[in-house]
Amino acid sequence: MDAAEAAEAGAIRARIDTGKPHSARFWNYFVGGKDNYEKDRELGDHIKEIFPGLVDVARTSRLFLGRAVRHLATEQGVRQFLDIGTGLPTADNTHEVAQAAAPDSRIVYVDNDPLVLAHARALLTSTSEGETAYIDADLYDPEAILREAAKTLDLSRPVALIILNTLGHVADYAQARDLVNRLMAGLPSGSYLVISDSTATSEGMIAASNEYNKSGATPYYVREVAEIGGFFDGLDLVEPGVEQVTRWRAETADSTAVDAYGAVGRKA
């Protein structure tokens, strides 16, 4: 590591607050990752006592991502992916799934969490035919995201916009829809939207969300299934539409019922 890289690493570490839980680290703990701290694990263990099903949500949401990306790469010919709210790298990241199916795929990750930034180099692997990039940017500035993404992606050609387990952090539903609409407005016809989020479909999930929001971490608000569907207004839903993440084009007989719904929609 040279002096510039060391200085950058030091600046990133200075932004990391280990004194309170963080959503990316909390989720990393739930999927079996190692990039978390004591406060994240304490909250995770507490939430598991209240609602063990959240572990299934974390696990199956990751599997949904893989199925959606493979479907778009292999069946729809998509070669460009914009993944917002990347989170910490684990197994089967978007670029790994996409480039395994289509080596010439180009992927841009977007996040503004300093720990994710610290791990960006792990995400920036790529096939020689494709490309992977990382943007340190905020969901609340869609136009800046699109400007930066255009340095790697050709925004005159279809792009798959992926926003998983992220929009729940936007408290106001109308604002969340506006952010999605502004992002999709910058993408051409033939582009796709992929969204999944936890839903207010059980008392356990609602209780877990309320307890999480007391922790000091950035709050996460579970929404009704119809509100998840609302993000896709004006798009053509890919079958089977808005569905539990375990049941969206399931490749195995996973009958786990989870409080998380997702869908894929196409811009005409």
Side-chain angles (χ1 to χ4, degrees):
M1 181 182 294
D2 61 25
E5 289 175 332
E8 179 187 11
I12 291 170
R13 283 195 297 272
R15 290 171 54 191
I16 297 173
D17 183 359
T18 63
K20 63 181 180 181
H22 188 280
S23 59
R25 303 191 308 251
F26 170 82
W27 208 245
N28 177 264
Y29 177 55
F30 265 32
V31 298
K34 298 179 179 179
D35 297 308
N36 46 73
Y37 295 98
E38 183 178 356
K39 291 294 184 182
D40 309 302
R41 295 187 290 271
E42 287 177 354
L43 177 60
D45 291 339
H46 178 55
I47 295 296
K48 281 190 280 188
E49 290 178 0
I50 297 170
F51 183 56
L54 193 56
V55 177
D56 291 326
V57 169
R59 176 183 61 84
T60 58
S61 294
R62 195 70 183 181
L63 296 174
F64 166 77
L65 168 66
R67 294 197 303 277
V69 171
R70 276 192 297 275
H71 169 75
L72 293 175
T74 60
E75 298 185 38
Q76 305 302 329
V78 177
R79 296 294 180 267
Q80 302 191 109
F81 299 83
L82 178 58
D83 186 338
I84 298 178
T86 302
L88 291 160
T90 54
D92 296 329
N93 299 292
T94 298
H95 73 283
E96 294 170 326
V97 177
Q99 292 182 343
D104 59 335
S105 295
R106 303 169 75 86
I107 297 88
V108 172
Y109 290 108
V110 181
D111 210 300
N112 68 340
D113 173 65
L115 191 59
V116 176
L117 179 59
H119 286 268
R121 289 185 178 86
L123 286 167
L124 297 182
T125 59
S126 177
T127 58
S128 58
E129 302 95 325
E131 186 172 351
T132 305
Y134 178 88
I135 300 172
D136 182 13
D138 196 311
L139 172 65
Y140 291 92
D141 193 351
E143 290 73 27
I145 290 174
L146 291 169
R147 283 196 303 272
E148 290 299 310
K151 296 176 181 178
T152 302
L153 307 178
D154 179 356
L155 299 189
S156 69
R157 297 174 53 237
V159 174
L161 172 63
I162 301 171
I163 316 176
L164 266 57
N165 306 303
T166 298
L167 290 166
H169 291 299
V170 183
D172 183 77
Y173 178 59
Q175 183 181 23
R177 286 192 58 167
D178 177 66
L179 294 171
V180 172
N181 290 340
R182 285 158 64 190
L183 287 162
M184 289 302 295
L187 304 180
S189 297
S191 291
Y192 287 83
L193 174 64
V194 183
I195 287 175
S196 75
D197 263 305
S198 299
T199 48
T201 41
S202 76
E203 292 183 2
M205 175 57 87
I206 294 169
S209 175
N210 290 338
E211 199 66 18
Y212 175 86
N213 291 346
K214 297 176 185 176
S215 71
T218 302
Y220 184 98
Y221 303 94
V222 292
R223 293 197 161 100
E224 301 297 330
V225 176
E227 292 178 307
I228 303 299
F231 290 121
F232 295 89
D233 283 356
L235 304 179
D236 298 323
L237 282 171
V238 173
E239 290 294 331
V242 181
E243 184 56 272
Q244 284 188 31
V245 293
T246 49
R247 299 173 183 170
W248 193 91
R249 293 182 173 260
E251 297 167 350
T252 60
D254 186 348
S255 59
T256 304
V258 294
D259 296 298
Y261 279 70
V264 177
R266 183 181 185 277
K267 182 176 179 178

